[in-house]
Amino acid sequence: MDNKSLRGISLIALSSLSLESALAQSGAALEEIIVTAQKTAESIQEVPISITALDEMALERNGVTNIMDLSMLVPSLTIRPNPVSDQNLRFTLRGVEDGAIELTQDLTTALHLNGIYIARGNGLNLNVEDLERVEVLRGPQGTLYGRNATAGAINYVTRKPGDEFEFRQQFTVGNFDRFVSRTTVNIPITDTLAVRANYLREEQDGWIDNSFPGGSPINDREADAYRFDVRWEPTEDLTIDYGYDRSEVDYFSQPFQCTTLVPGFLGSLVDPSTCSEDEPLDDLSLRGNLVGNEVWASGHTLSVEWAYSENHSMRALLGYREYEDNYQAMLQAGGAGLTGASGLDTRDEFAMIPPFQYETSFINTEGDYSSIELQFTGTLNDSLSYNAGLYWFDENGTEINERGTQLVVWPGESPSVPTGFVSPGGPRDLEANNKSQAAYLEF
């Protein structure tokens, strides 16, 4: 290491000491952030876990409007849409990546909404609405969060009903006819009872045009999301929260595009003008049956928290979620579509090997799951605390995968070019049932 590097480290250290000294002299202090990473409310500075917490102000200040935006603020976290179903999210934390979005594969990052485990990523690609904070815990976190927290855990905590009336309306507009409306209302009914409601509407046209006459739109999107919360505090020691949420998304898939022309036998059949240097085209001529995709998910949450003594409390969490996801997965098929027909000119003979070729699957996934958790937390003395609980989970789901349909895309071609075919293959059906029981204790 050279002297310049050493001087740089010294300057950084001195700057840090100067900042701490200035804060001490002025009496200022860092804002305390309360988290529930260990299933009890405590300061983030007292949590012995590698954790990133973002409160409401931090989310707004950094322009976090979508769950995927968290990737910009949290080290080692990547959130991106599934390539064949872009309303389903895949999470990578600490280099541990989720597998395919399938009924038989669990997420490697445990997601929780107000303490309730979210088992599937279907329909999660929505704008965040009315979040109080987000907590990202780097894993493994198996003791308190179970076997599906190999990479870590992410806790989404929404704002609860308050004792003051509130109404908030926000509109957002952008290019590609983007429109977003967010509505929030909080109504205190009595001194102990309050309700809160949220509604989100989002619309946006796709950024790829379909020049085929009468062709289906490409990656257009419409979404609605609702949330309703009730808080009842009959006594100072008892708090009951109920929440219901539902999201509905209608959209069209975005097809793969050719950005690199591979020389050789297949490459000689492709017009080089249809492949750009790592730059997707903004106009395609898409023939075939591009169907609209639909996904919806809803959930109920009931939380009953009782502080039965000064240093001890218990909490019961009941959750139920259900979902249905219908989407058209457009996969690159490579050279699998060779017709091998003879007596045709080159263009027709290899019509199944255009610049863009897809094997299409029509997938329907639906399921529901329930969970019950009992939590016991408290302190035994000044230096000893405990966290214990019981957990039960039950999930049922079905998946139907109809494979075989292929679409052919020829940008700028006339409608007379062949549009595709249906290859052999039948539907693949599966059913799954997942049960889990657990007991945990941590001192």
Side-chain angles (χ1 to χ4, degrees):
M1 181 180 297
D2 57 22
N3 292 331
K4 292 182 179 180
S5 299
L6 289 174
R7 284 199 298 270
I9 294 175
S10 300
L11 288 173
I12 293 172
L14 289 173
S15 298
S16 300
L17 291 174
S18 299
L19 177 59
E20 293 177 2
S21 176
L23 289 173
Q25 292 176 6
S26 65
L30 295 175
E31 179 184 357
E32 184 179 35
I33 299 179
I34 302 299
V35 297
T36 53
Q38 297 187 113
K39 303 199 174 184
T40 183
E42 55 190 338
S43 172
I44 189 174
Q45 296 176 338
E46 299 177 0
V47 179
I49 298 174
S50 177
I51 179 175
T52 299
L54 302 170
D55 60 11
E56 183 181 7
M57 291 184 61
L59 294 171
E60 183 176 353
R61 184 170 58 248
N62 289 281
V64 176
T65 60
N66 190 283
I67 291 179
M68 291 190 295
D69 293 339
L70 293 175
S71 300
M72 302 183 299
L73 304 176
V74 180
S76 73
L77 173 66
T78 302
I79 306 175
R80 62 188 186 279
N82 188 285
V84 297
S85 177
D86 57 20
Q87 297 309 302
N88 300 331
L89 296 183
R90 298 174 65 177
F91 297 78
T92 302
L93 184 58
R94 293 180 55 250
V96 182
E97 184 178 9
D98 290 332
I101 301 294
E102 291 185 355
L103 188 63
T104 55
Q105 297 193 34
D106 291 326
L107 302 176
T108 59
T109 301
L111 306 179
H112 290 82
L113 177 63
N114 294 330
I116 300 298
Y117 176 61
I118 301 178
R120 302 293 151 208
N122 302 78
L124 286 184
N125 192 4
L126 274 176
N127 281 4
V128 295
E129 175 61 24
D130 212 26
L131 283 180
E132 179 181 296
R133 69 180 181 276
V134 178
E135 304 168 2
V136 180
L137 292 70
R138 293 167 187 82
Q141 297 292 340
T143 304
L144 298 180
Y145 289 94
R147 63 181 177 83
N148 295 334
T150 305
I154 302 178
N155 297 330
Y156 297 98
V157 182
T158 63
R159 295 181 63 188
K160 300 300 184 292
D163 56 3
E164 295 183 0
F165 176 80
E166 176 188 355
F167 176 79
R168 182 171 55 189
Q169 177 65 58
Q170 179 181 354
F171 296 105
T172 302
V173 294
N175 55 351
F176 300 103
D177 292 332
R178 177 172 174 78
F179 173 77
V180 181
S181 172
R182 297 181 178 88
T183 307
T184 301
V185 60
N186 184 91
I187 303 176
I189 299 177
T190 67
D191 292 340
T192 61
L193 180 65
V195 298
R196 189 177 186 87
N198 298 275
Y199 171 64
L200 169 71
R201 172 66 180 181
E202 182 179 6
E203 302 175 5
Q204 181 166 333
D205 292 342
W207 53 89
I208 301 176
D209 295 328
N210 186 5
S211 59
F212 181 70
S216 303
I218 301 175
N219 63 10
D220 285 9
R221 184 175 185 272
E222 295 182 358
D224 293 282
Y226 318 81
R227 180 163 189 87
F228 177 75
D229 290 277
V230 180
R231 166 162 282 194
W232 182 37
E233 299 174 295
T235 67
E236 293 183 355
D237 303 327
L238 182 63
T239 301
I240 301 174
D241 288 310
Y242 167 77
Y244 171 76
D245 67 274
R246 181 181 177 90
S247 62
E248 303 171 357
V249 185
D250 297 328
Y251 67 104
F252 288 87
S253 297
Q254 176 178 337
F256 291 95
Q257 291 200 33
C258 174
T259 58
T260 304
L261 181 59
V262 180
F265 175 71
L266 297 181
S268 63
L269 303 176
V270 178
D271 182 359
S273 64
T274 61
C275 287
S276 58
E277 286 295 331
D278 300 324
E279 185 175 335
L281 301 172
D282 57 8
D283 191 326
L284 299 176
S285 181
L286 182 60
R287 300 161 176 78
N289 182 25
L290 179 60
V291 300
N293 303 326
E294 299 177 352
V295 55
W296 65 264
S298 65
H300 300 267
T301 302
L302 179 63
S303 170
V304 180
E305 187 170 1
W306 177 36
Y308 55 89
S309 71
E310 182 179 357
N311 298 321
H312 306 276
S313 65
M314 69 168 293
R315 186 185 186 194
L317 277 170
L318 289 79
Y320 174 77
R321 296 195 68 83
E322 57 182 340
Y323 64 93
E324 182 174 357
D325 193 0
N326 294 277
Y327 64 92
Q328 181 181 20
M330 305 176 71
L331 307 173
Q332 281 184 309
L338 265 173
T339 61
S342 58
L344 302 174
D345 60 33
T346 303
R347 194 73 164 188
D348 291 334
E349 182 177 355
F350 298 101
M352 295 302 106
I353 312 177
F356 314 107
Q357 177 189 340
Y358 309 102
E359 175 184 346
T360 300
S361 296
F362 298 93
I363 300 175
N364 169 268
T365 304
E366 55 183 297
D368 60 85
Y369 48 93
S370 307
S371 63
I372 300 175
E373 183 174 5
L374 297 177
Q375 302 174 358
F376 303 88
T377 59
T379 57
L380 301 178
N381 53 50
D382 293 341
S383 59
L384 184 61
S385 62
Y386 69 90
N387 194 330
L390 300 172
Y391 187 81
W392 173 86
F393 177 85
D394 185 24
E395 178 184 17
N396 295 280
T398 61
E399 179 177 301
I400 302 175
N401 189 333
E402 299 182 7
R403 303 189 175 203
T405 302
Q406 296 198 354
L407 304 179
V408 177
V409 178
W410 289 96
E413 292 278 343
S414 65
S416 61
V417 175
T419 61
F421 70 103
V422 178
S423 62
R428 182 190 68 177
D429 300 350
L430 65 87
E431 298 182 4
N433 177 253
N434 179 21
K435 294 181 181 291
S436 178
Q437 301 86 32
Y440 59 89
L441 175 64
E442 181 179 75
F443 283 98

